[in-house]
Amino acid sequence: QVQLVESGGGLVQAGGSLRLSCAASGRTIRTYTLGWFRQAPGKEREFVARISWSGVNTDYADSVKGRFTISRDNAKNTVYLQMNSLKPDDTAVYYCASDVRSAGSNWWGGYWGQGTQVTVSS
């Protein structure tokens, strides 16, 4: 199994920044891509960002491009999401995911963390 533990969520004013971390452990974790999803109240869970094993390739949802940066430290089995210029619309529970895959515009993950709340006030 893969275990994922998120941290770094909290309350921030619009325009501020937060850095989310996700520590991953478990079997074959190094073979997985890692990423982030989020779910806002009343909405479906949506893809946010993904990073390849090498860290060379990244993908972002249009809504966060230019504001969020995903990175990973394989030595620490940790993936990060640096969130800048936060907007109230970014308010959601953010979930770390492993084995993040896509087909066309559809994204999904194989394993999920418990989520961390990000609240952006106006």
Side-chain angles (χ1 to χ4, degrees):
Q1 294 184 332
V2 175
Q3 295 174 317
L4 303 167
V5 180
E6 303 99 333
S7 62
L11 175 65
V12 64
Q13 293 185 6
S17 299
L18 284 174
R19 188 194 191 207
L20 305 183
S21 299
C22 173
S25 62
R27 68 174 184 85
T28 66
I29 185 64
R30 297 183 186 275
T31 67
Y32 289 145
T33 57
L34 295 170
W36 295 89
F37 292 73
R38 67 186 182 185
Q39 187 168 22
K43 295 185 177 181
E44 298 292 325
R45 186 175 298 185
E46 65 175 345
F47 166 78
V48 175
R50 181 186 68 173
I51 188 166
S52 65
W53 165 247
S54 67
V56 173
N57 298 315
T58 57
D59 298 278
Y60 297 93
D62 289 341
S63 59
V64 306
K65 286 181 180 178
R67 300 187 298 118
F68 291 10
T69 302
I70 188 170
S71 62
R72 66 189 296 167
D73 185 338
N74 289 340
K76 299 179 180 179
N77 289 329
T78 300
V79 62
Y80 306 94
L81 186 68
Q82 179 66 47
M83 305 185 294
N84 298 325
S85 301
L86 284 163
K87 304 183 294 184
D89 286 348
D90 296 318
T91 295
V93 177
Y94 283 71
Y95 297 90
C96 178
S98 66
D99 194 22
V100 177
R101 301 174 181 271
S102 66
S105 61
N106 298 318
W107 296 81
W108 66 93
Y111 294 89
W112 303 87
Q114 294 296 316
T116 185
Q117 177 70 49
V118 172
T119 302
V120 184
S121 64
S122 59

